[in-house]
Amino acid sequence: QVQLVQSGAEVKKPGASVRVSCKVSGYTLTELSIHWVRQTPAKGLEWMGGYDPEEGEIIYAQKFQGRVTLTEDTSTHTAYMEVTGLRSEDTAVYYCAILRSAIYYYFDSWGQGTPVTVSS
Amino acid sequence: EIVLTQSPGTLSLSPGETTTLSCRASQSVSGSNLVWYQQKPGQAPRLLIYGASTRATGIPARFSGFGSGTDFTLTISRLEPEDFAVYFCQQYENSPWTFGQGTTVEI
């Protein structure tokens, strides 16, 4: 049974950066495709990016390209999502999720979510 | 970008009733690339249906998905108290993968 445990809530000032972690248990990171989704009252759920097993690389939604960096540390079974140049609109709950991509695509396991508040 | 429009925004129902939620796509989505999630307050989304009509592991048979092209539905038969939640559709047809804005099913 795979489990995703995310780091705790963050409060940041505009312009700062935040890094959220997602620790995997029950599987190794190399067996999984971890993606990130955020949720805001204004925009709802937004897919940010993640590991594409077909391309063998991390892909990003165009909206987040350049300001979001997704990395993985296989030695600690932890995925990371970093957002730079934070703005108030980045205030959201950030989720990591496992993408299944055999015949069908879907996120079947999610972390508990990490609230990030951007405020001066 | 494919825009998914869900309707209605809110449904006020009673336990035991049956309801159908709609998800309309701005361009055609292969049925294999349409998914439904349920979300309760303070929780992450939970996978309900993938491939437009296949129930995820552990999802009761009262949840059923249907549709193709631009029109998809999620039917919940005989609502149970635990079914009152927000329901989202999502497409994997084109990047960026997008979600609908959600339908709230409330008592």
Side-chain angles (χ1 to χ4, degrees):
Chain A
Q1 180 85 358
V2 66
Q3 194 172 8
L4 305 178
V5 178
Q6 298 183 223
S7 49
E10 302 266 10
V11 179
K12 297 290 183 181
K13 293 193 183 305
S17 299
V18 68
R19 190 173 81 154
V20 177
S21 67
C22 172
K23 187 169 177 63
V24 175
S25 60
Y27 281 81
T28 63
L29 257 185
T30 53
E31 298 175 283
L32 302 172
S33 176
I34 300 292
H35 284 246
W36 293 84
V37 174
R38 76 177 187 183
Q39 186 169 30
T40 67
K43 295 279 193 176
L45 291 161
E46 297 181 287
W47 169 70
M48 302 175 70
Y51 182 76
D52 183 340
E54 290 188 11
E55 299 292 332
E57 62 183 12
I58 290 177
I59 58 174
Y60 296 88
Q62 188 172 15
K63 171 178 180 175
F64 298 101
Q65 192 104 33
R67 212 162 60 87
V68 171
T69 303
L70 306 180
T71 56
E72 297 182 349
D73 183 341
T74 55
S75 66
T76 60
H77 312 295
T78 304
Y80 296 94
M81 188 260 338
E82 182 176 31
V83 185
T84 59
L86 286 166
R87 311 187 271 253
S88 59
E89 309 90 88
D90 296 316
T91 294
V93 177
Y94 290 80
Y95 294 100
C96 58
I98 295 172
L99 175 73
R100 303 296 184 182
S101 58
I103 299 173
Y104 302 106
Y105 280 60
Y106 49 87
F107 295 133
D108 73 343
S109 297
W110 296 65
Q112 82 276 19
T114 297
V116 174
T117 302
V118 182
S119 174
S120 55
Chain B
E1 169 174 323
I2 295 178
V3 176
L4 298 178
T5 302
Q6 293 187 241
S7 62
T10 303
L11 281 165
S12 297
L13 299 165
S14 299
E17 292 191 271
T18 293
T19 187
T20 296
L21 286 57
S22 171
C23 174
R24 179 160 289 175
S26 61
Q27 56 188 275
S28 186
V29 174
S30 164
S32 62
N33 292 328
L34 196 287
V35 176
W36 289 92
Y37 299 95
Q38 176 195 68
Q39 187 178 34
K40 296 181 180 179
Q43 296 183 17
R46 172 195 180 199
L47 177 68
L48 288 180
I49 301 279
Y50 60 88
S53 61
T54 303
R55 281 188 302 278
T57 302
I59 300 303
R62 63 179 181 273
F63 291 91
S64 59
F66 186 77
S68 64
T70 59
D71 290 298
F72 297 87
T73 58
L74 173 69
T75 296
I76 313 172
S77 302
R78 299 178 302 281
L79 280 159
E80 297 284 344
E82 61 266 29
D83 299 337
F84 292 91
V86 182
Y87 293 85
F88 296 94
C89 55
Q90 184 199 7
Q91 64 82 20
Y92 293 87
E93 184 76 20
N94 291 336
S95 180
W97 299 334
T98 51
F99 293 82
Q101 82 281 15
T103 291
T104 300
V105 176
E106 63 179 24
I107 296 179

PDB file of all heavy atoms in Angstrom, chain B residues 49-81:
ATOM      1  N   ILE B  49     -13.668   7.305 -10.740  1.00  0.00           N
ATOM      2  CA  ILE B  49     -13.891   6.712 -12.059  1.00  0.00           C
ATOM      3  C   ILE B  49     -12.736   7.092 -12.969  1.00  0.00           C
ATOM      4  O   ILE B  49     -12.328   8.261 -12.990  1.00  0.00           O
ATOM      5  CB  ILE B  49     -15.194   7.253 -12.700  1.00  0.00           C
ATOM      6  CG1 ILE B  49     -16.418   6.965 -11.837  1.00  0.00           C
ATOM      7  CG2 ILE B  49     -15.365   6.720 -14.124  1.00  0.00           C
ATOM      8  CD1 ILE B  49     -16.990   5.583 -11.965  1.00  0.00           C
ATOM      9  N   TYR B  50     -12.193   6.141 -13.730  1.00  0.00           N
ATOM     10  CA  TYR B  50     -11.223   6.463 -14.767  1.00  0.00           C
ATOM     11  C   TYR B  50     -11.691   5.838 -16.073  1.00  0.00           C
ATOM     12  O   TYR B  50     -12.597   4.994 -16.089  1.00  0.00           O
ATOM     13  CB  TYR B  50      -9.811   5.990 -14.383  1.00  0.00           C
ATOM     14  CG  TYR B  50      -9.678   4.501 -14.162  1.00  0.00           C
ATOM     15  CD1 TYR B  50      -9.386   3.638 -15.215  1.00  0.00           C
ATOM     16  CD2 TYR B  50      -9.829   3.955 -12.882  1.00  0.00           C
ATOM     17  CE1 TYR B  50      -9.256   2.281 -15.008  1.00  0.00           C
ATOM     18  CE2 TYR B  50      -9.703   2.589 -12.664  1.00  0.00           C
ATOM     19  CZ  TYR B  50      -9.407   1.759 -13.728  1.00  0.00           C
ATOM     20  OH  TYR B  50      -9.282   0.406 -13.529  1.00  0.00           O
ATOM     21  N   GLY B  51     -11.068   6.274 -17.171  1.00  0.00           N
ATOM     22  CA  GLY B  51     -11.517   5.793 -18.468  1.00  0.00           C
ATOM     23  C   GLY B  51     -12.989   6.069 -18.708  1.00  0.00           C
ATOM     24  O   GLY B  51     -13.673   5.293 -19.391  1.00  0.00           O
ATOM     25  N   ALA B  52     -13.484   7.147 -18.132  1.00  0.00           N
ATOM     26  CA  ALA B  52     -14.867   7.622 -18.264  1.00  0.00           C
ATOM     27  C   ALA B  52     -15.889   6.749 -17.551  1.00  0.00           C
ATOM     28  O   ALA B  52     -16.930   7.246 -17.104  1.00  0.00           O
ATOM     29  CB  ALA B  52     -15.285   7.792 -19.726  1.00  0.00           C
ATOM     30  N   SER B  53     -15.611   5.433 -17.415  1.00  0.00           N
ATOM     31  CA  SER B  53     -16.667   4.551 -16.906  1.00  0.00           C
ATOM     32  C   SER B  53     -16.189   3.425 -16.001  1.00  0.00           C
ATOM     33  O   SER B  53     -17.022   2.643 -15.526  1.00  0.00           O
ATOM     34  CB  SER B  53     -17.437   3.940 -18.082  1.00  0.00           C
ATOM     35  OG  SER B  53     -16.559   3.164 -18.887  1.00  0.00           O
ATOM     36  N   THR B  54     -14.905   3.332 -15.735  1.00  0.00           N
ATOM     37  CA  THR B  54     -14.382   2.240 -14.908  1.00  0.00           C
ATOM     38  C   THR B  54     -14.239   2.709 -13.461  1.00  0.00           C
ATOM     39  O   THR B  54     -13.507   3.662 -13.192  1.00  0.00           O
ATOM     40  CB  THR B  54     -13.023   1.752 -15.432  1.00  0.00           C
ATOM     41  OG1 THR B  54     -13.156   1.335 -16.796  1.00  0.00           O
ATOM     42  CG2 THR B  54     -12.524   0.591 -14.593  1.00  0.00           C
ATOM     43  N   ARG B  55     -14.935   2.019 -12.553  1.00  0.00           N
ATOM     44  CA  ARG B  55     -14.826   2.389 -11.144  1.00  0.00           C
ATOM     45  C   ARG B  55     -13.450   2.011 -10.598  1.00  0.00           C
ATOM     46  O   ARG B  55     -12.915   0.934 -10.882  1.00  0.00           O
ATOM     47  CB  ARG B  55     -15.906   1.688 -10.317  1.00  0.00           C
ATOM     48  CG  ARG B  55     -17.284   2.336 -10.403  1.00  0.00           C
ATOM     49  CD  ARG B  55     -18.232   1.698  -9.404  1.00  0.00           C
ATOM     50  NE  ARG B  55     -18.365   0.262  -9.626  1.00  0.00           N
ATOM     51  CZ  ARG B  55     -19.169  -0.271 -10.527  1.00  0.00           C
ATOM     52  NH1 ARG B  55     -19.911   0.508 -11.299  1.00  0.00           N
ATOM     53  NH2 ARG B  55     -19.230  -1.593 -10.663  1.00  0.00           N
ATOM     54  N   ALA B  56     -12.891   2.901  -9.797  1.00  0.00           N
ATOM     55  CA  ALA B  56     -11.615   2.609  -9.137  1.00  0.00           C
ATOM     56  C   ALA B  56     -11.835   1.554  -8.053  1.00  0.00           C
ATOM     57  O   ALA B  56     -12.971   1.288  -7.638  1.00  0.00           O
ATOM     58  CB  ALA B  56     -11.048   3.887  -8.540  1.00  0.00           C
ATOM     59  N   THR B  57     -10.749   0.992  -7.592  1.00  0.00           N
ATOM     60  CA  THR B  57     -10.803  -0.048  -6.559  1.00  0.00           C
ATOM     61  C   THR B  57     -11.520   0.462  -5.318  1.00  0.00           C
ATOM     62  O   THR B  57     -11.213   1.544  -4.807  1.00  0.00           O
ATOM     63  CB  THR B  57      -9.381  -0.486  -6.180  1.00  0.00           C
ATOM     64  OG1 THR B  57      -8.712  -0.966  -7.346  1.00  0.00           O
ATOM     65  CG2 THR B  57      -9.422  -1.577  -5.133  1.00  0.00           C
ATOM     66  N   GLY B  58     -12.495  -0.301  -4.862  1.00  0.00           N
ATOM     67  CA  GLY B  58     -13.191   0.043  -3.630  1.00  0.00           C
ATOM     68  C   GLY B  58     -14.344   1.012  -3.791  1.00  0.00           C
ATOM     69  O   GLY B  58     -15.013   1.345  -2.802  1.00  0.00           O
ATOM     70  N   ILE B  59     -14.601   1.482  -5.001  1.00  0.00           N
ATOM     71  CA  ILE B  59     -15.697   2.429  -5.213  1.00  0.00           C
ATOM     72  C   ILE B  59     -17.000   1.654  -5.402  1.00  0.00           C
ATOM     73  O   ILE B  59     -17.076   0.753  -6.245  1.00  0.00           O
ATOM     74  CB  ILE B  59     -15.415   3.322  -6.444  1.00  0.00           C
ATOM     75  CG1 ILE B  59     -14.112   4.102  -6.227  1.00  0.00           C
ATOM     76  CG2 ILE B  59     -16.587   4.269  -6.690  1.00  0.00           C
ATOM     77  CD1 ILE B  59     -14.070   4.954  -4.981  1.00  0.00           C
ATOM     78  N   PRO B  60     -18.033   2.037  -4.648  1.00  0.00           N
ATOM     79  CA  PRO B  60     -19.297   1.283  -4.720  1.00  0.00           C
ATOM     80  C   PRO B  60     -19.954   1.375  -6.088  1.00  0.00           C
ATOM     81  O   PRO B  60     -19.775   2.345  -6.835  1.00  0.00           O
ATOM     82  CB  PRO B  60     -20.170   1.981  -3.660  1.00  0.00           C
ATOM     83  CG  PRO B  60     -19.240   2.742  -2.797  1.00  0.00           C
ATOM     84  CD  PRO B  60     -18.063   3.091  -3.633  1.00  0.00           C
ATOM     85  N   ALA B  61     -20.751   0.355  -6.392  1.00  0.00           N
ATOM     86  CA  ALA B  61     -21.420   0.261  -7.695  1.00  0.00           C
ATOM     87  C   ALA B  61     -22.450   1.356  -7.908  1.00  0.00           C
ATOM     88  O   ALA B  61     -22.913   1.556  -9.040  1.00  0.00           O
ATOM     89  CB  ALA B  61     -22.065  -1.109  -7.839  1.00  0.00           C
ATOM     90  N   ARG B  62     -22.825   2.086  -6.852  1.00  0.00           N
ATOM     91  CA  ARG B  62     -23.811   3.170  -7.046  1.00  0.00           C
ATOM     92  C   ARG B  62     -23.208   4.347  -7.822  1.00  0.00           C
ATOM     93  O   ARG B  62     -23.927   5.231  -8.266  1.00  0.00           O
ATOM     94  CB  ARG B  62     -24.373   3.654  -5.711  1.00  0.00           C
ATOM     95  CG  ARG B  62     -23.386   4.276  -4.774  1.00  0.00           C
ATOM     96  CD  ARG B  62     -24.108   4.724  -3.479  1.00  0.00           C
ATOM     97  NE  ARG B  62     -23.200   5.367  -2.541  1.00  0.00           N
ATOM     98  CZ  ARG B  62     -22.475   4.720  -1.646  1.00  0.00           C
ATOM     99  NH1 ARG B  62     -22.559   3.397  -1.567  1.00  0.00           N
ATOM    100  NH2 ARG B  62     -21.671   5.371  -0.824  1.00  0.00           N
ATOM    101  N   PHE B  63     -21.889   4.354  -7.991  1.00  0.00           N
ATOM    102  CA  PHE B  63     -21.233   5.373  -8.811  1.00  0.00           C
ATOM    103  C   PHE B  63     -21.026   4.810 -10.223  1.00  0.00           C
ATOM    104  O   PHE B  63     -20.435   3.733 -10.390  1.00  0.00           O
ATOM    105  CB  PHE B  63     -19.876   5.760  -8.234  1.00  0.00           C
ATOM    106  CG  PHE B  63     -19.951   6.519  -6.942  1.00  0.00           C
ATOM    107  CD1 PHE B  63     -19.924   5.854  -5.726  1.00  0.00           C
ATOM    108  CD2 PHE B  63     -20.063   7.904  -6.937  1.00  0.00           C
ATOM    109  CE1 PHE B  63     -20.002   6.544  -4.527  1.00  0.00           C
ATOM    110  CE2 PHE B  63     -20.142   8.605  -5.747  1.00  0.00           C
ATOM    111  CZ  PHE B  63     -20.114   7.920  -4.537  1.00  0.00           C
ATOM    112  N   SER B  64     -21.497   5.544 -11.213  1.00  0.00           N
ATOM    113  CA  SER B  64     -21.283   5.082 -12.583  1.00  0.00           C
ATOM    114  C   SER B  64     -20.980   6.269 -13.490  1.00  0.00           C
ATOM    115  O   SER B  64     -21.555   7.357 -13.339  1.00  0.00           O
ATOM    116  CB  SER B  64     -22.511   4.323 -13.107  1.00  0.00           C
ATOM    117  OG  SER B  64     -23.654   5.141 -13.090  1.00  0.00           O
ATOM    118  N   GLY B  65     -20.061   6.066 -14.422  1.00  0.00           N
ATOM    119  CA  GLY B  65     -19.655   7.103 -15.356  1.00  0.00           C
ATOM    120  C   GLY B  65     -19.998   6.700 -16.778  1.00  0.00           C
ATOM    121  O   GLY B  65     -20.014   5.521 -17.119  1.00  0.00           O
ATOM    122  N   PHE B  66     -20.248   7.730 -17.580  1.00  0.00           N
ATOM    123  CA  PHE B  66     -20.649   7.476 -18.965  1.00  0.00           C
ATOM    124  C   PHE B  66     -20.239   8.658 -19.802  1.00  0.00           C
ATOM    125  O   PHE B  66     -20.105   9.786 -19.297  1.00  0.00           O
ATOM    126  CB  PHE B  66     -22.164   7.256 -19.035  1.00  0.00           C
ATOM    127  CG  PHE B  66     -22.650   6.850 -20.404  1.00  0.00           C
ATOM    128  CD1 PHE B  66     -22.471   5.555 -20.866  1.00  0.00           C
ATOM    129  CD2 PHE B  66     -23.280   7.774 -21.227  1.00  0.00           C
ATOM    130  CE1 PHE B  66     -22.900   5.182 -22.120  1.00  0.00           C
ATOM    131  CE2 PHE B  66     -23.721   7.408 -22.492  1.00  0.00           C
ATOM    132  CZ  PHE B  66     -23.530   6.113 -22.936  1.00  0.00           C
ATOM    133  N   GLY B  67     -20.075   8.411 -21.088  1.00  0.00           N
ATOM    134  CA  GLY B  67     -19.868   9.529 -21.987  1.00  0.00           C
ATOM    135  C   GLY B  67     -18.743   9.317 -22.967  1.00  0.00           C
ATOM    136  O   GLY B  67     -17.954   8.364 -22.872  1.00  0.00           O
ATOM    137  N   SER B  68     -18.677  10.222 -23.921  1.00  0.00           N
ATOM    138  CA  SER B  68     -17.631  10.216 -24.929  1.00  0.00           C
ATOM    139  C   SER B  68     -17.621  11.571 -25.623  1.00  0.00           C
ATOM    140  O   SER B  68     -18.586  12.340 -25.504  1.00  0.00           O
ATOM    141  CB  SER B  68     -17.848   9.100 -25.960  1.00  0.00           C
ATOM    142  OG  SER B  68     -19.043   9.332 -26.676  1.00  0.00           O
ATOM    143  N   GLY B  69     -16.528  11.849 -26.323  1.00  0.00           N
ATOM    144  CA  GLY B  69     -16.453  13.098 -27.081  1.00  0.00           C
ATOM    145  C   GLY B  69     -16.345  14.305 -26.168  1.00  0.00           C
ATOM    146  O   GLY B  69     -15.321  14.516 -25.533  1.00  0.00           O
ATOM    147  N   THR B  70     -17.413  15.072 -26.097  1.00  0.00           N
ATOM    148  CA  THR B  70     -17.382  16.282 -25.262  1.00  0.00           C
ATOM    149  C   THR B  70     -18.343  16.216 -24.083  1.00  0.00           C
ATOM    150  O   THR B  70     -18.375  17.140 -23.272  1.00  0.00           O
ATOM    151  CB  THR B  70     -17.721  17.537 -26.090  1.00  0.00           C
ATOM    152  OG1 THR B  70     -19.027  17.371 -26.665  1.00  0.00           O
ATOM    153  CG2 THR B  70     -16.690  17.763 -27.195  1.00  0.00           C
ATOM    154  N   ASP B  71     -19.135  15.169 -23.979  1.00  0.00           N
ATOM    155  CA  ASP B  71     -20.153  15.097 -22.921  1.00  0.00           C
ATOM    156  C   ASP B  71     -19.989  13.843 -22.062  1.00  0.00           C
ATOM    157  O   ASP B  71     -20.056  12.723 -22.574  1.00  0.00           O
ATOM    158  CB  ASP B  71     -21.557  15.121 -23.527  1.00  0.00           C
ATOM    159  CG  ASP B  71     -21.882  16.480 -24.103  1.00  0.00           C
ATOM    160  OD1 ASP B  71     -21.914  17.448 -23.326  1.00  0.00           O
ATOM    161  OD2 ASP B  71     -22.075  16.561 -25.328  1.00  0.00           O
ATOM    162  N   PHE B  72     -19.791  14.078 -20.777  1.00  0.00           N
ATOM    163  CA  PHE B  72     -19.578  12.995 -19.827  1.00  0.00           C
ATOM    164  C   PHE B  72     -20.481  13.211 -18.618  1.00  0.00           C
ATOM    165  O   PHE B  72     -20.825  14.347 -18.278  1.00  0.00           O
ATOM    166  CB  PHE B  72     -18.117  12.948 -19.381  1.00  0.00           C
ATOM    167  CG  PHE B  72     -17.165  12.667 -20.511  1.00  0.00           C
ATOM    168  CD1 PHE B  72     -16.672  13.704 -21.288  1.00  0.00           C
ATOM    169  CD2 PHE B  72     -16.791  11.367 -20.810  1.00  0.00           C
ATOM    170  CE1 PHE B  72     -15.819  13.454 -22.347  1.00  0.00           C
ATOM    171  CE2 PHE B  72     -15.935  11.097 -21.862  1.00  0.00           C
ATOM    172  CZ  PHE B  72     -15.449  12.153 -22.637  1.00  0.00           C
ATOM    173  N   THR B  73     -20.891  12.094 -17.995  1.00  0.00           N
ATOM    174  CA  THR B  73     -21.743  12.189 -16.820  1.00  0.00           C
ATOM    175  C   THR B  73     -21.254  11.243 -15.732  1.00  0.00           C
ATOM    176  O   THR B  73     -20.628  10.215 -16.012  1.00  0.00           O
ATOM    177  CB  THR B  73     -23.200  11.846 -17.150  1.00  0.00           C
ATOM    178  OG1 THR B  73     -23.262  10.522 -17.685  1.00  0.00           O
ATOM    179  CG2 THR B  73     -23.798  12.843 -18.130  1.00  0.00           C
ATOM    180  N   LEU B  74     -21.563  11.653 -14.504  1.00  0.00           N
ATOM    181  CA  LEU B  74     -21.355  10.800 -13.339  1.00  0.00           C
ATOM    182  C   LEU B  74     -22.710  10.667 -12.661  1.00  0.00           C
ATOM    183  O   LEU B  74     -23.326  11.677 -12.304  1.00  0.00           O
ATOM    184  CB  LEU B  74     -20.352  11.427 -12.377  1.00  0.00           C
ATOM    185  CG  LEU B  74     -20.166  10.709 -11.031  1.00  0.00           C
ATOM    186  CD1 LEU B  74     -19.467   9.374 -11.233  1.00  0.00           C
ATOM    187  CD2 LEU B  74     -19.387  11.577 -10.042  1.00  0.00           C
ATOM    188  N   THR B  75     -23.168   9.441 -12.518  1.00  0.00           N
ATOM    189  CA  THR B  75     -24.443   9.193 -11.845  1.00  0.00           C
ATOM    190  C   THR B  75     -24.180   8.553 -10.491  1.00  0.00           C
ATOM    191  O   THR B  75     -23.366   7.622 -10.393  1.00  0.00           O
ATOM    192  CB  THR B  75     -25.348   8.281 -12.694  1.00  0.00           C
ATOM    193  OG1 THR B  75     -25.679   8.956 -13.918  1.00  0.00           O
ATOM    194  CG2 THR B  75     -26.631   7.945 -11.951  1.00  0.00           C
ATOM    195  N   ILE B  76     -24.831   9.100  -9.482  1.00  0.00           N
ATOM    196  CA  ILE B  76     -24.765   8.515  -8.143  1.00  0.00           C
ATOM    197  C   ILE B  76     -26.170   8.033  -7.808  1.00  0.00           C
ATOM    198  O   ILE B  76     -27.108   8.844  -7.709  1.00  0.00           O
ATOM    199  CB  ILE B  76     -24.295   9.523  -7.084  1.00  0.00           C
ATOM    200  CG1 ILE B  76     -23.067  10.284  -7.570  1.00  0.00           C
ATOM    201  CG2 ILE B  76     -23.973   8.790  -5.776  1.00  0.00           C
ATOM    202  CD1 ILE B  76     -22.668  11.444  -6.655  1.00  0.00           C
ATOM    203  N   SER B  77     -26.321   6.741  -7.671  1.00  0.00           N
ATOM    204  CA  SER B  77     -27.637   6.144  -7.389  1.00  0.00           C
ATOM    205  C   SER B  77     -27.816   5.996  -5.881  1.00  0.00           C
ATOM    206  O   SER B  77     -26.882   5.597  -5.184  1.00  0.00           O
ATOM    207  CB  SER B  77     -27.752   4.770  -8.061  1.00  0.00           C
ATOM    208  OG  SER B  77     -27.550   4.877  -9.449  1.00  0.00           O
ATOM    209  N   ARG B  78     -29.017   6.324  -5.416  1.00  0.00           N
ATOM    210  CA  ARG B  78     -29.372   6.130  -3.999  1.00  0.00           C
ATOM    211  C   ARG B  78     -28.277   6.709  -3.090  1.00  0.00           C
ATOM    212  O   ARG B  78     -27.512   5.993  -2.442  1.00  0.00           O
ATOM    213  CB  ARG B  78     -29.608   4.654  -3.702  1.00  0.00           C
ATOM    214  CG  ARG B  78     -30.764   4.060  -4.513  1.00  0.00           C
ATOM    215  CD  ARG B  78     -30.933   2.567  -4.231  1.00  0.00           C
ATOM    216  NE  ARG B  78     -29.718   1.818  -4.529  1.00  0.00           N
ATOM    217  CZ  ARG B  78     -29.329   1.460  -5.741  1.00  0.00           C
ATOM    218  NH1 ARG B  78     -30.063   1.794  -6.798  1.00  0.00           N
ATOM    219  NH2 ARG B  78     -28.226   0.783  -5.922  1.00  0.00           N
ATOM    220  N   LEU B  79     -28.225   8.015  -3.067  1.00  0.00           N
ATOM    221  CA  LEU B  79     -27.200   8.730  -2.303  1.00  0.00           C
ATOM    222  C   LEU B  79     -27.121   8.251  -0.862  1.00  0.00           C
ATOM    223  O   LEU B  79     -28.138   8.125  -0.171  1.00  0.00           O
ATOM    224  CB  LEU B  79     -27.490  10.227  -2.327  1.00  0.00           C
ATOM    225  CG  LEU B  79     -27.058  10.985  -3.588  1.00  0.00           C
ATOM    226  CD1 LEU B  79     -27.836  12.287  -3.705  1.00  0.00           C
ATOM    227  CD2 LEU B  79     -25.566  11.242  -3.553  1.00  0.00           C
ATOM    228  N   GLU B  80     -25.891   8.012  -0.426  1.00  0.00           N
ATOM    229  CA  GLU B  80     -25.611   7.701   0.973  1.00  0.00           C
ATOM    230  C   GLU B  80     -25.091   8.971   1.649  1.00  0.00           C
ATOM    231  O   GLU B  80     -24.578   9.877   0.978  1.00  0.00           O
ATOM    232  CB  GLU B  80     -24.560   6.598   1.055  1.00  0.00           C
ATOM    233  CG  GLU B  80     -24.990   5.267   0.459  1.00  0.00           C
ATOM    234  CD  GLU B  80     -25.950   4.511   1.357  1.00  0.00           C
ATOM    235  OE1 GLU B  80     -26.054   4.861   2.557  1.00  0.00           O
ATOM    236  OE2 GLU B  80     -26.605   3.563   0.866  1.00  0.00           O
ATOM    237  N   PRO B  81     -25.212   9.070   2.966  1.00  0.00           N
ATOM    238  CA  PRO B  81     -24.736  10.288   3.655  1.00  0.00           C
ATOM    239  C   PRO B  81     -23.290  10.631   3.343  1.00  0.00           C
ATOM    240  O   PRO B  81     -22.938  11.814   3.244  1.00  0.00           O
ATOM    241  CB  PRO B  81     -24.917   9.924   5.134  1.00  0.00           C
ATOM    242  CG  PRO B  81     -26.024   8.926   5.146  1.00  0.00           C
ATOM    243  CD  PRO B  81     -25.865   8.128   3.883  1.00  0.00           C
TER     244      PRO B  81
END
